Amino acid sequence: MYKLAALFALLFLGSACATQPATSATSPRAIASTAYADFDRGDIEAVLGVMSEDLVWYESEGLPQGGVYQGPKEVMENVFATLTGWASYSAVPQIYIEEGNMVAVRGEYRGVRADTGAELKVPFVHIWVIENGEVVTFYQLTDTVVYNAVMQAD
């Protein structure tokens, strides 16, 4: 538990570690970084492809897609498939902190609602746990009040 607390502290205080290059293509940081790039290109199959069948995925409660999902199929159905109505949408990583098989990422969701033009700009923290080159656990933390305000804007 102390490692998770240390990761959070580093994310919010900044760290020289955040700018270190990934050590290999299969490092937790490299896997997470590639997943963000794949998501940004719309290659959801590639994102799903790095997920373990035993994956446990936590979305912030309070979001329309909030909850806990098991495996890539549930993530696709309950998270990715719900991201509709956006003219643009991205998860932009800004800081990576890698510790063992875990990588914490501080970033920002950015988007524009297609129906209202409302702009989304809200920070997130993602915690990725990687084992044998696959994502086994993913935690998402974000400001659900700001996120939902954009979703409900007139």
Side-chain angles (χ1 to χ4, degrees):
M1 188 63 166
Y2 74 92
K3 286 186 179 182
L4 190 57
L7 285 172
F8 276 113
L10 288 170
L11 282 169
F12 290 101
L13 299 175
S15 168
C17 310
T19 59
Q20 297 294 325
T23 56
S24 76
T26 59
S27 73
R29 178 182 172 177
I31 290 168
S33 179
T34 299
Y36 287 114
D38 291 339
F39 182 85
D40 197 45
R41 283 193 323 277
D43 190 351
I44 300 306
E45 288 301 316
V47 178
L48 296 170
V50 297
M51 296 178 185
S52 165
E53 286 300 319
D54 297 323
L55 168 76
V56 180
W57 184 283
Y58 298 86
E59 285 283 306
S60 293
E61 292 294 335
L63 291 178
Q65 69 273 20
V68 180
Y69 305 103
Q70 306 284 320
K73 182 178 180 209
E74 283 193 15
V75 172
M76 180 62 210
E77 292 171 355
N78 298 291
V79 179
F80 296 152
T82 68
L83 297 175
T84 59
W86 296 95
S88 65
Y89 186 88
S90 59
V92 181
Q94 297 166 328
I95 296 174
Y96 291 83
I97 307 291
E98 187 172 2
E99 177 66 36
N101 69 335
M102 195 174 0
V103 63
V105 181
R106 186 180 72 180
E108 189 171 75
Y109 290 122
R110 297 178 188 164
V112 176
R113 292 294 298 167
D115 53 351
T116 64
E119 292 186 38
L120 176 68
K121 189 173 183 183
V122 64
F124 67 73
V125 172
H126 293 161
I127 308 292
W128 302 73
V129 180
I130 313 291
E131 292 179 2
N132 301 316
E134 293 183 318
V135 182
V136 295
T137 310
F138 176 87
Y139 297 93
Q140 177 229 36
L141 303 162
T142 193
D143 186 335
T144 60
V145 172
V146 172
Y147 196 104
N148 285 325
V150 171
M151 296 288 292
Q152 298 166 2
D154 289 329

